[in-house]
Amino acid sequence: MPELAKAYEPQQVEDRLYQKWQDGGYFKADPKSTKPAYSIVMPPPNVTGKLTLGHVLNNTIQDILCRKARMEGKEVLWLPGTDHAGLATQTAVEKHLRQTEKKTRHEIGREAFVKRIWDWKHEFGGIITQQLRKIGCSCDWSRERFTMDPDYERAVQEVFVKLHREGLIYRGTRMVNWCPGSLTAISDEEVIPTKQKGSLYYVKYELVSVVAAAVPSGDEFPSGNPQAPPLGTAAATTYLEVATTRPETIMADVALAVKPGGKWAHLVGRKVWRPLHREQIPIIADEAVEEGFGTGVLKVTPAHDKTDYEIGKRHKLPVIDILTPNAKINDPGEHDASELHGLDRFEARKKSAELLKDRGLLVKEEPYENTVGFSERANVPIEPRLSSQWFLKYPNIKEALALLQKGHVKFHPQHWTKVYQHWLENIQDWCISRQVWWGHRIPVWYRVDHTPLIDSSSSPTEIVEVEKFRKDFAKGNLWAPDEILCQIESPGEGWVQDPDSLDTWFSSWLWAYETMQTEDGTRQKFYPTSALVTGPDIIFLWVARMLIAGLHFKPNGAETLETNLAFKDVYFTGLIRDKQGRKLSKSLGNSPDPLELIAKYGADGLRFGLVRIAPQGADIRFDEKQIEEGRNFCNKLWNICRFRAMQGPIDPKADPFQHSRSIFADELLDRLHFLLEGERNAIEALNQYNFSEAASQLYDFVWNEFAARYVEAAKIDFAQTDSPTRAGTLATFDYVMSHVLRLLHPFAPFVTEELWCELGFGAETVQLQNWPVKSPRSKDWSPRAQEIYMTADVGRTLRGEIKLPSNQKIPFFLVTSALVSKKRPLADDQKAVLTAFLNASEIQVLDSPPANPGPKAFTQLGDLYLPATGLVDPGVEKDRLVKELAKVEKDLEQTRRKLGDANMLAKAPPAKLEEWRALEISLGEKEKSLRESLAKLE
RNA sequence: GCGGAGUUAGCUUAGCGGUAGAGCAGGUCCUUUACACGGACAAGGUCGGGGGUUCGAUCCCCUCACUCCGCACCA
């Protein structure tokens, strides 16, 4: 057997083993297999992205599930792939183009630009999948998919056509979330509400007097109102005050609204002067107005606000659009606010406030915090904008709700169910068109000679113009049936395709089954998938939509619900944050590079460290220390095995129950039994997606039971020349190691595989060995090993308290209790282990206390003494006794209080009372003895 | 504002009604037959505040405070 290195060196192992696994085809899924199927589709990372810690956690968990399933004898498909990530990728390439060639995508044109993105994809698209290999992911790379693979693209378009035929996809004109940064509409789910500090501007809108109303607009600014009624009466009002956060949109105001029947109701029907781009606009009454807020008067700007648009529709108001697609003021012509024209919306805000102030129309400006929707992509405030887009009316909502309610699909942790439910109950149609070049083209064709009257780049004003001509405009039917065709192939000459692309999520919602569409029956075998592992941030964007797709498209052709679930279990990982609790982000520079961490600590260390500390259902505060612990653990495991290897060859089929064993071996086997079968055991924890619990239990078993205790005890056995239990000790080692390596393999695949193979456990790989779920207890087990370990703990504490250097050997006396000395005497080997654990020069076992006893401690084996002379400083000893006495007295008092409480005696369960009584007795004895020892010191 | 999760040692956390448990960091000691990526020991907690239920509450209920995450937003 080759000697193992002194420390585990991941760099020597990882790439070699991954290559071996690939060559061995262990990750390949066989649809023809008779084994039960287990499948997971990987949430596809952005094709040009790089590995983040989030990916590591996410994929490690998937790998754990898959590796465990393989060991359980299932046929496993873990299907990897990447996402074209429309806008994100387009933006990245655009930036690159700007930096390298100082060109915009418009300058090089759509076709050339899309080609650039493909080039980019071919160059960088493999990075992240290579990085996933680095962390050991056991995916079936032969089935890797990309959301823009030709087959996949076709499937996406077919789905569009199908849904269009069903009337679920339609072209509609709505207020959408317009991203002025990336010049496209985005869906509600991509808007991040963000608290913003801004100002609330109080602006005067002067009432047009009945007489003045007759005067044509364009007057000089009236100073005050010549026809104003006397002050002090209700009719004395000469202006209305309006609070707004967006004075730059005043030019687009078309009315003021007040609450019907409210304090300003008497003014309804009158007119005010719009303070910028001065014109008369009416005062209307609308329920949307709340008197409690601001001044109780609302300026109505239908082109630039969702609520205002609704109000505008109700009152048949015109729409005046004064913003360009990139959110600059667009109000050309000669008028009193023409200097705003061309300004960016935020500059215009300041400037218009100044203009108002100059004209005495700004009453005041207050600091104000409100929530503004930001574009997730460009990180700029979105602009509500009237535009014509494609929408999907979600099908199968009720069924999708029932899936979770009836338990066909389970979320882990469960509380995400509510979030899912709430979204489905308040669902809005999905805006699926994007003004983006990189993505799936919308399969809709228009007759060239009947160019659509409007499209997504039309301004709201144009759209409203069209409305006058088209009665069915609201339904989005802008073309006669023979002017528009929804189909994949071009209808030929004279037709032009819709310029827009589909939302990336419109392709990924098919991911769970479309990726499995192959000739060999993969989908039949592996769909529905077993589990999905993802972050809660895409519960709507992806998870819910995949469930809906499964329900609607019934990919396996069968009607039963069970065959159409995209997945049965969804595990939501926590979000990884930094030590201060901030999200990891590029801009903060607080995201550690997983590859650097792998270089420092090994892939297994990273995996194990991350999984062990990831709390269930909560965010993770990342600290590199935890990864270090992961590495240290792997090294610990390595060295247990190394130690064993030094004792001779291992027996892969070792059965410790065939040999006579030490009590220490039985103790370890007992612990293993409980690890696998006890209450809340590690296996169960793992089955319930409680990864950190399972990892922690394994960590504790390996480190504290195996290494700290068993290995130390076994050294005594190995040191003896004619030990009758030596063979049993070796067999126990081999047996437990075999279990531990298999149990840890899903968490730490590399180190376990390397050890399995290097130690000669027989099979060529650990990953197809059976998953251990059972291990018997020894019939001979006795509590003696525990007693010795605990006695050692007590003795070490005693040593520590008299402040001896750790390495100084000292004698102990053990006055064994009647039970120990008569019924189960302390055997020589047991005494030897205790001696070693205590680093004692010797242990004298006595029947009665030594003549001149020193410091004393109570143990399960009897009273443990140190020699009185030489070693002990009386002052130190006295402090120790006083301190311990105080603790005992406190415990005793607490116990006696319980036992003295009549209520408690009457109502507490008898078993508990017994426990407390026993405790009282033993504490009482301790107290007495401590007092005696103290008295002797006086 | 509505809904969800959380608040336990300096940090990260376990604790599922019966004397609060671990790892790390910090402290002291130690290179004794694997491991200094190690070993030994000690110290560190009125379990966010306040009520209630119970013989007994870190745990169940109510309430307040703060943090995080959804959703809806008042211009």
Side-chain angles (χ1 to χ4, degrees):
Chain A
M1 184 175 324
E3 175 108 359
L4 294 180
K6 195 174 167 187
Y8 172 54
E9 289 157 13
Q11 307 77 6
Q12 308 295 314
V13 173
E14 292 174 357
D15 290 346
R16 166 167 53 83
L17 288 184
Y18 200 87
Q19 192 58 48
K20 173 187 138 184
W21 295 335
Q22 287 263 66
D23 295 346
Y26 302 122
F27 306 157
K28 272 207 173 140
D30 176 11
K32 301 284 183 296
S33 164
T34 53
K35 297 183 200 169
Y38 185 90
S39 59
I40 291 183
V41 290
M42 177 188 289
N46 183 342
V47 65
T48 58
K50 289 209 179 113
L51 199 70
T52 65
L53 269 185
H55 290 126
V56 174
L57 177 64
N58 191 264
N59 286 287
T60 296
I61 286 169
Q62 292 174 66
D63 198 39
I64 289 170
L65 292 171
C66 288
R67 286 179 184 269
K68 170 171 156 271
R70 269 185 215 105
M71 294 175 80
E72 286 173 327
K74 292 175 184 159
E75 186 64 31
V76 173
L77 168 60
W78 182 12
L79 199 151
T82 47
D83 191 294
H84 68 282
L87 190 49
T89 307
Q90 171 166 316
T91 309
V93 177
E94 241 180 318
K95 190 174 159 198
H96 182 251
L97 188 66
R98 207 176 322 121
Q99 283 168 352
T100 55
E101 301 175 41
K102 307 228 182 297
K103 282 184 184 160
T104 68
R105 71 185 151 105
H106 298 280
E107 280 165 345
I108 69 169
R110 182 166 187 154
E111 204 177 319
F113 182 69
V114 169
K115 192 184 167 292
R116 294 292 178 97
I117 303 183
W118 276 110
D119 292 345
W120 180 275
K121 189 254 175 192
H122 290 131
E123 194 174 343
F124 303 111
I127 292 179
I128 195 157
T129 56
Q130 288 305 323
Q131 291 176 325
L132 286 167
R133 289 168 171 91
K134 279 271 177 198
I135 61 173
C137 292
S138 61
C139 358
D140 183 351
W141 293 108
S142 71
R143 294 169 189 276
E144 183 181 343
R145 293 287 184 275
F146 176 49
T147 48
M148 295 234 310
D149 285 340
D151 289 357
Y152 196 95
E153 178 152 23
R154 191 170 174 91
V156 171
Q157 294 185 326
E158 277 169 3
V159 155
F160 185 100
V161 173
K162 182 170 190 284
L163 291 169
H164 185 266
R165 282 204 191 114
E166 292 170 31
L168 293 168
I169 285 183
Y170 63 95
R171 179 131 186 153
T173 302
R174 300 262 185 87
M175 292 300 279
V176 296
N177 307 301
W178 183 262
C179 171
S182 30
L183 302 180
T184 176
I186 57 177
S187 72
D188 295 342
E189 286 74 21
E190 293 162 296
V191 177
I192 317 292
T194 313
K195 287 240 189 293
Q196 283 291 297
K197 286 203 172 106
S199 297
L200 197 54
Y201 302 86
Y202 289 79
V203 182
K204 279 186 192 175
Y205 284 64
E206 290 165 299
L207 276 168
V208 176
S209 72
V210 182
V211 180
V215 179
S217 65
D219 260 4
E220 283 305 307
F221 306 117
S223 53
N225 192 330
Q227 287 82 27
L231 292 164
T233 65
T237 317
T238 60
Y239 61 87
L240 282 173
E241 216 176 293
V242 175
T244 179
T245 53
R246 304 199 64 187
E248 75 276 17
T249 64
I250 286 177
M251 290 100 79
D253 289 352
V254 295
L256 289 189
V258 300
K259 194 173 174 63
K263 61 181 170 185
W264 303 113
H266 61 285
L267 295 174
V268 172
R270 304 238 344 236
K271 291 193 167 181
V272 291
W273 290 106
R274 186 167 64 205
L276 295 173
H277 197 158
R278 198 171 173 83
E279 274 175 18
Q280 292 185 13
I281 56 174
I283 298 172
I284 59 170
D286 195 281
E287 287 293 348
V289 180
E290 274 191 47
E291 284 208 323
F293 185 86
T295 59
V297 185
L298 174 68
K299 73 187 203 58
V300 183
T301 321
H304 302 299
D305 184 280
K306 269 186 188 176
T307 316
D308 291 6
Y309 179 66
E310 295 304 317
I311 296 174
K313 275 213 300 209
R314 282 197 285 273
H315 296 268
K316 299 201 166 32
L317 296 169
V319 176
I320 303 174
D321 178 25
I322 50 119
L323 286 175
T324 62
N326 58 355
K328 288 191 160 65
I329 303 294
N330 178 29
D331 191 11
E334 282 294 309
H335 55 83
D336 57 78
S338 53
E339 55 216 278
L340 294 173
H341 181 64
L343 289 184
D344 171 80
R345 53 184 163 162
F346 302 111
E347 294 167 23
R349 184 170 304 169
K350 283 187 211 146
K351 187 73 192 168
S352 44
E354 280 168 26
L355 289 180
L356 290 167
K357 200 173 175 189
D358 291 348
R359 294 167 195 183
L361 296 173
L362 186 65
V363 180
K364 59 180 170 177
E365 180 183 334
E366 282 179 351
Y368 185 69
E369 193 180 272
N370 66 340
T371 310
V372 175
F374 270 63
S375 158
E376 191 182 44
R377 286 286 153 230
N379 199 30
V380 294
I382 61 114
E383 210 39 75
R385 187 164 200 255
L386 190 61
S387 110
S388 183
Q389 302 283 344
W390 290 97
F391 292 89
L392 169 67
K393 185 174 159 51
Y394 287 96
N396 305 72
I397 301 291
K398 276 193 185 147
E399 271 178 284
L401 268 168
L403 288 184
L404 271 285
Q405 279 159 356
K406 295 194 179 148
H408 298 296
V409 175
K410 286 202 182 78
F411 283 179
H412 309 266
Q414 219 192 344
H415 67 256
W416 292 110
T417 306
K418 275 218 166 185
V419 177
Y420 169 90
Q421 216 168 309
H422 186 259
W423 181 72
L424 277 174
E425 281 164 357
N426 298 282
I427 200 160
Q428 304 278 319
D429 292 355
W430 175 9
C431 174
I432 54 172
S433 46
R434 292 294 125 88
Q435 289 66 57
V436 169
W437 289 350
W438 173 241
H440 303 103
R441 206 59 189 265
I442 290 177
V444 169
W445 305 83
Y446 308 105
R447 281 274 292 276
V448 177
D449 49 353
H450 283 84
T451 316
L453 290 168
I454 59 168
D455 61 29
S456 54
S457 62
S458 302
S459 80
T461 319
E462 287 169 313
I463 292 168
V464 171
E465 282 305 306
V466 169
E467 194 171 4
K468 290 174 185 160
F469 300 102
R470 295 272 177 179
K471 275 198 184 144
D472 50 1
F473 174 82
K475 291 181 199 152
N477 298 332
L478 300 172
W479 296 268
D482 62 340
E483 295 173 339
I484 176 170
L485 282 174
C486 179
Q487 61 184 49
I488 297 172
E489 281 78 23
S490 166
E493 281 286 305
W495 292 82
V496 61
Q497 188 166 13
D498 192 300
D500 290 350
S501 297
L502 289 161
D503 180 7
T504 301
W505 298 106
F506 190 84
S507 66
S508 38
W509 73 323
L510 312 178
W511 190 251
Y513 67 87
E514 202 46 55
T515 48
M516 294 189 188
Q517 179 52 29
T518 53
E519 296 298 308
D520 63 0
T522 301
R523 193 193 281 175
Q524 285 69 32
K525 174 81 182 172
F526 292 105
Y527 186 88
T529 69
S530 312
L532 180 76
V533 179
T534 188
D537 48 333
I538 53 175
I539 188 165
F540 315 134
L541 290 170
W542 198 47
V543 179
R545 287 169 179 166
M546 266 199 290
L547 285 171
I548 292 171
L551 290 171
H552 192 70
F553 300 115
K554 300 186 170 50
N556 273 341
E559 283 298 320
T560 59
L561 191 61
E562 286 72 20
T563 56
N564 293 312
L565 304 174
F567 26 76
K568 292 161 211 147
D569 285 295
V570 185
Y571 179 80
F572 291 106
T573 62
L575 243 51
I576 301 183
R577 295 168 176 279
D578 70 4
K579 268 167 115 176
Q580 287 113 57
R582 300 173 306 180
K583 276 189 187 174
L584 299 184
S585 78
K586 269 188 217 159
S587 49
L588 279 173
N590 60 350
S591 7
D593 178 359
L595 294 179
E596 273 172 33
L597 292 171
I598 290 173
K600 269 170 96 174
Y601 304 111
D604 289 333
L606 175 59
R607 290 169 59 125
F608 196 85
L610 209 50
V611 168
R612 189 166 77 99
I613 52 108
Q616 255 193 314
D619 290 352
I620 296 145
R621 300 253 180 151
F622 180 77
D623 183 349
E624 193 170 317
K625 277 278 168 213
Q626 294 151 343
I627 307 308
E628 196 181 328
E629 282 176 45
R631 174 197 62 177
N632 296 352
F633 176 70
C634 293
N635 188 55
K636 195 59 159 176
L637 181 69
W638 178 266
N639 271 289
I640 293 172
C641 293
R642 177 167 182 253
F643 175 73
R644 169 60 188 85
M646 289 167 132
Q647 315 303 320
I650 67 116
D651 173 7
K653 294 200 175 64
D655 179 2
F657 299 99
Q658 302 294 314
H659 298 85
S660 60
R661 301 170 305 278
S662 70
I663 54 166
F664 306 103
D666 276 358
E667 177 65 18
L668 183 68
L669 291 166
D670 208 55
R671 292 289 167 157
L672 180 65
H673 166 80
F674 283 105
L675 179 70
L676 300 177
E677 299 178 57
E679 234 181 291
R680 288 200 277 274
N681 62 62
I683 304 294
E684 223 172 272
L686 197 50
N687 288 339
Q688 290 162 4
Y689 297 90
N690 195 344
F691 302 97
S692 63
E693 172 66 21
S696 301
Q697 284 194 27
L698 289 167
Y699 180 98
D700 183 64
F701 177 82
V702 167
W703 205 299
N704 299 322
E705 298 300 335
F706 202 163
R709 291 182 161 171
Y710 185 69
V711 172
E712 293 307 317
K715 283 178 185 171
I716 306 306
D717 208 345
F718 294 151
Q720 284 177 287
T721 38
D722 294 318
S723 163
T725 53
R726 186 186 167 90
T729 299
L730 288 170
T732 303
F733 250 102
D734 298 348
Y735 177 86
V736 176
M737 270 159 47
S738 155
H739 279 74
V740 164
L741 291 176
R742 280 179 286 156
L743 289 165
L744 281 171
H745 181 257
F747 296 89
F750 294 110
V751 67
T752 50
E753 174 81 333
E754 179 70 358
L755 287 167
W756 184 270
C757 298
E758 284 300 303
L759 293 172
F761 272 100
E764 64 167 14
T765 174
V766 65
Q767 61 191 319
L768 297 175
Q769 299 303 301
N770 68 326
W771 178 245
V773 289
K774 273 188 169 171
S775 179
R777 304 183 71 174
S778 160
K779 291 189 188 73
D780 305 325
W781 179 84
S782 83
R784 175 51 55 83
Q786 269 305 313
E787 289 168 0
I788 288 170
Y789 292 145
M790 289 166 83
T791 299
D793 286 346
V794 172
R796 284 166 164 179
T797 304
L798 201 58
R799 280 187 66 114
E801 277 167 342
I802 62 166
K803 302 205 163 36
L804 276 182
S806 310
N807 60 343
Q808 189 176 337
K809 286 191 191 294
I810 48 168
F812 281 85
F813 304 99
L814 180 65
V815 181
T816 54
S817 67
L819 189 74
V820 171
S821 50
K822 303 267 158 48
K823 290 196 176 158
R824 292 187 292 120
L826 198 63
D828 284 350
D829 64 320
Q830 299 173 10
K831 196 177 137 192
V833 168
L834 186 58
T835 308
F837 273 57
L838 288 173
N839 197 22
S841 54
E842 61 165 338
I843 297 175
Q844 280 187 43
V845 178
L846 307 170
D847 289 331
S848 54
N852 185 17
K856 171 188 175 186
F858 310 91
T859 77
Q860 295 188 351
L861 294 175
D863 296 346
L864 193 65
Y865 292 87
L866 285 176
T869 50
L871 303 167
V872 188
D873 177 334
V876 171
E877 171 64 358
K878 195 183 165 193
D879 289 350
R880 181 183 79 85
L881 290 172
V882 167
K883 214 173 82 185
E884 196 174 347
L885 184 61
K887 189 170 177 283
V888 169
E889 277 174 338
K890 194 185 141 216
D891 290 351
L892 193 56
E893 198 230 302
Q894 216 171 41
T895 311
R896 286 193 173 136
R897 192 157 12 125
K898 278 190 213 166
L899 290 170
D901 186 331
N903 244 333
M904 213 167 233
L905 288 177
K907 298 199 177 172
K912 270 291 154 213
L913 292 176
E914 274 317 300
E915 237 175 74
W916 292 334
R917 287 199 181 103
L919 188 65
E920 188 197 11
I921 291 167
S922 79
L923 285 173
E925 280 169 4
K926 250 189 191 175
E927 188 200 24
K928 188 172 154 231
S929 169
L930 283 168
R931 285 189 192 286
E932 282 168 11
S933 302
L934 260 177
K936 276 182 201 158
L937 270 183
E938 296 300 326

